[in-house]
Amino acid sequence: MTHNRMPTPLPLFLAFCIALSSPASRAQTQLDTPAPANLAARTWFQDAKFGMFIHWGTYSVLEDGEWVMEIRTMPITEYEKLPARFDPEKFNAAEWVALAKAAGMKYITITSKHHDGFAMFDSQVSDWTIVKRTPWKRDPLKMLADECHKQGIHLSFYYSQLDWHNPDYFPRGRTGHAAGRPESGDWNKYLDYQDAQLRELLTNYGEVGGIWFDGWWDKPDATWRLDRTYNLIHSLQPQTLVGNNHHRAPNPGEDIQMFEKDLPGKNTAGFNADSKIGELPLETAETINTSWGYNASDHKFKSTHDLVQYLVRAAGSNANFLLNIGPRPDGSIQPEFVERLHQMGQWLSQNGESVYGTRGGPIAPHPWGVSTQKEDKIYVHVLDWPDPYLLLPALQQNVATAYTLKDHSKVEAARNEHGLLLKLPARASGDYDTIVVLELAH
Ligand code: FHN
């Protein structure tokens, strides 16, 4: 009678070597060990602090946001009539990039494909593209990439994993049921299609700052093959920062963690219930009105005061701010957006030292404000505090001198048993932020 004998155990080290040599484990180590270029890109990203989000697509023709196909339950046969009306003759890549720079933004993240599946670039693996379906017949992402590289702005691509147009996005997820697609499809074929488009974006548009995924939440239980897709991205461009707006803790292979319409750790908008803050560089995304894609009837514009304070509170939370515009179908940008972006750039031209290149400061965010730090300077951002005195928690290091960033006028800073008491200067009307610089003693 033969016994089922356990195989003679290989020496553990040999087993470990064999395991590591397998493609799957090599892929896993690549996911867990970012390349030096990627780590350098993460540092650049954290220093950059401020980016422009652009939601632009054929949906802008209806002037009702980027979810119009789903919200109006438009079948593909109806929705496919839109590109014929999408003729952005006013699109000017140089002007868009110049506007981002005027705002003090250091990078742009633009939708390459949103949930409607419409490629805003000259994809050769789809006939549902801006080049093939519009009278304009041009590739705006190529034009924008060339201009960004020329003007020194990093360019990232938003890419929707969710697709309301591709028949192989099957089984369906939570959305896209009114598109009129057959109740069949090949999910792996869809993932191959997605990887093929990502390969195009990472091959034909020069250096890519990042890939900003969205839409995972439509099928959270699906096998998305993220490892394979992330490895593809990093094998083509190791410095490309992968982020996924899945509203969960980061996955292996992701390089940044984003939050939507909330600062890290907050959940006022309801998107971030499960977003545990990880160790990666952080970014929060927000709109100027309430819409991502162009919405002609959305006049709820945030003030420049509120937008600057959001930028500062993001920096105080050790996060970047990705501020969105939704261009019109003709390629122009509405004046309310342009005005606020220029005003933010004006503020940053005078106060950027307290934001760019900083990290979250040692004084935790409070309702009154936040702190940022760069080398031996702590910037105390007093955003909402009516009193002339502000008591800060005790700092580990002594403060050599305290003064306002605005005009370097001295600020009284008295250490007591409760902490560090600041006597704040009177706030000039129109100031968004009273910034007190604490120079640390060596
Ligand atoms: O459904 C998208 C939405 O259209 C937009 O792109 C935002 C941007 O963060 N992300 C999803 C909503 O969470």
Side-chain angles (χ1 to χ4, degrees), residues 53 55 66-67 114-115 158 212 214 217 245 247 260 271 292:
F53 211 173
H55 276 71
E66 75 289 354
W67 269 68
H114 205 265
H115 308 335
Y158 167 110
W212 207 100
D214 202 0
W217 33 262
N245 190 35
H247 309 315
E260 181 168 347
F271 289 104
W292 299 102

Side-chain angles (χ1 to χ4, degrees), residues 50 52 94-108 147-154 341-342 344-346 348-349 356:
F50 192 27
M52 177 184 274
E95 285 178 6
W96 283 22
V97 176
L99 177 60
K101 291 178 77 169
M105 295 161 157
K106 304 298 180 185
Y107 61 99
I108 291 173
E147 197 59 38
C148 281
H149 297 139
K150 186 173 151 189
Q151 295 201 38
I153 291 284
H154 285 214
L341 290 174
H342 278 288
M344 292 185 81
Q346 178 60 28
L348 279 163
S349 67
Y356 298 124

Side-chain angles (χ1 to χ4, degrees), residues 52-104:
M52 177 184 274
F53 211 173
I54 302 177
H55 276 71
W56 197 39
T58 192
Y59 46 74
S60 61
V61 164
L62 296 179
E63 304 188 342
D64 195 12
E66 75 289 354
W67 269 68
V68 64
M69 179 178 173
E70 177 74 4
I71 289 167
R72 294 188 189 178
T73 59
M74 295 174 71
I76 287 171
T77 50
E78 273 308 299
Y79 195 80
E80 286 191 338
K81 294 174 184 171
L82 294 184
R85 296 161 52 191
F86 188 38
D87 189 3
E89 78 279 355
K90 289 183 181 173
F91 171 74
N92 182 314
E95 285 178 6
W96 283 22
V97 176
L99 177 60
K101 291 178 77 169

